[in-house]
Amino acid sequence: MTPSTASPRPLAGPAAFFSTLAAMAWKELLIMLRYPVEFVASFGQVFLIVTSLTLAGLMFAAPGERSTGVSNTAGLVVYGFILFMFLGDTLWTIGYNVRRDQKQGTLEMLYLSPASKFANLLSRVIITLVWTGALCVMAAFLMSALIGRLPAHNLPLAALLLVLSLSGTFGTGFAFAAVTLRLKEAAQTLANLFQFGVMVLCAPFFPFAALPEVLRWVARLLPPAYAVDMFRSTLLGYPTGYPELAPPAVGLAVVAAYGLLMPVLGYWLYRREENLARRAGTLSEY
Amino acid sequence: MSTTLPTLPGRPRPAQILSAALAETRLRLTNISRYPGQLLMEIIIPIVFAAMPILLGQATGGDQAAANFARNTGTANYVAYLLIGSNVFTIVSNAFWHIAYWLRFEQETGTLESVYLTPTSTLTLAGGVALYSVVRGLAAALLAYLLGCLIFQVNPLQGDVLLALGFVAAGLLPIYGLALLFGAVVLKVKESNALVNLMQWAVSFLMGLFYPVAALPPLLRAVALLFPPTWLTNGVRSALLGVGYFFGAWYLDMAVLWVFMLFAPLFGFWVFNRVERGIQRNEGVGQF
């Protein structure tokens, strides 16, 4: 019997793409389901962080205002936290996990298979959506049960803003995956720095009004900052002074552009770095 | 030609125990000195962490932020109050992670079993790791506090600084006693990142990271008072900012920390030893 020397036929067409995506997403989900303790612990951690920050915010409220100010303060913290969680998790699960594949030696194998590279990145998006989404929903429910109903105005628009923000966030994750291919281990420190930069400049836990003027101008240059501003302002029902960075129409336009363009840009960057790494033979170097 | 048979290792003398512990400390310090970026992050993180409630409070409280904070906590200096919380959090987190991950690292690199075959006990080495952790954690916390006060333009050296340092010193031993419990969790559960992470936040939540424990519901408050970090945090805040001791006088609060100093390490050692013996008997040391 003569072994076949023909190269594997590339998997093409939507059916092949979705089949690959489903298989990869299921593999990631299966790994996740094997660690239920981790899920429960992550949830507990999220709850403790949000509660700690809400209690801290309440220390600045006058005694008479504490009952009325509580839901707005909690809303501000919880809604900002949701976007921060997605951004943080995206950096690690999409961006930095490319590094994990590199370390485990499975990245090069993956590139030798006819499977779609985009499906590989997208499968990690699904995990972030399921895992982080579940954490956020549970944290929001628990906070509502503890301190009363969180303000939730303009739900359809808020949902649209969330979808656009997440799309932009995932695009940022693709771009970070590209950076990881280039920087290798140093990407871990960069991810930490990026997260802390977001914590300050995108103001997920406090209003932008608290930032010094210079930093507020820097924030105006960052699309994720508009995503935080628009998402929480919309859910809080546009109280006086909100949104803070730009009028609602401008904010919506920036978030839409971020949500539509960033995934394209991020994926383009990723393919570019990946091609460079393949040509230079550094895909499996770590 | 005569051959000399190797002598069996006996019980190590105190000087040898100290030497082994200090060697472990030096090893860890040399290792971390190779990662300046990580050390820098340890100084930045508590400042950024404290900046969140500071900025949130300034925005929600407006002109009345300091006055409201004083009504709720006993001091108008919310910057120092929150920085103390975030820096004690750094010390506590460092203690948990350094002890827990020293064991995990030895497990993963396959050297834990070798450690058990040497005449040096794991507690001696844990002592060396704890000393390294104290040096690293205290240096980072002190620098972060001073830098944070400089950034937010408040005086870091107000109140009784020596007494505050006394509370920190008295609180360290009980914290490392608790850290041994986390070491036991790592030995038992192995891949316990998430659990250690959760427990670190649970202790921080209970110790009144950004608020007085009086803000917690009565049951949680009672639980919080069973944790040494709660007394450490409040002791430092009271010494520097005058927020008020739990028992009204510094020496009474300090006495409680001394009681913890006696019992927490003993309890930690006991649990750690039990888990250690258990996994030695049941083939657990080399498994990870």
Side-chain angles (χ1 to χ4, degrees), chain A residues 136-168:
Chain A
C136 291
V137 169
M138 286 160 81
F141 269 114
L142 201 59
M143 287 299 291
S144 302
L146 282 176
I147 57 170
R149 202 164 164 265
L150 294 172
H153 304 275
N154 314 308
L155 282 175
L157 181 58
L160 174 69
L161 283 163
L162 181 65
V163 169
L164 289 169
S165 304
L166 293 186
S167 169

Side-chain angles (χ1 to χ4, degrees), chain B residues 167-210:
Chain B
F167 270 102
V168 172
L172 286 174
L173 206 57
I175 287 174
Y176 281 89
L178 282 181
L180 271 181
L181 293 178
F182 287 91
V185 172
V186 169
L187 284 180
K188 192 81 183 165
V189 186
K190 270 83 180 178
E191 195 56 77
S192 52
N193 286 28
L195 273 183
V196 177
N197 224 344
L198 175 67
M199 289 317 291
Q200 157 200 311
W201 276 101
V203 171
S204 303
F205 173 72
L206 289 172
M207 79 179 200
L209 178 63
F210 293 139

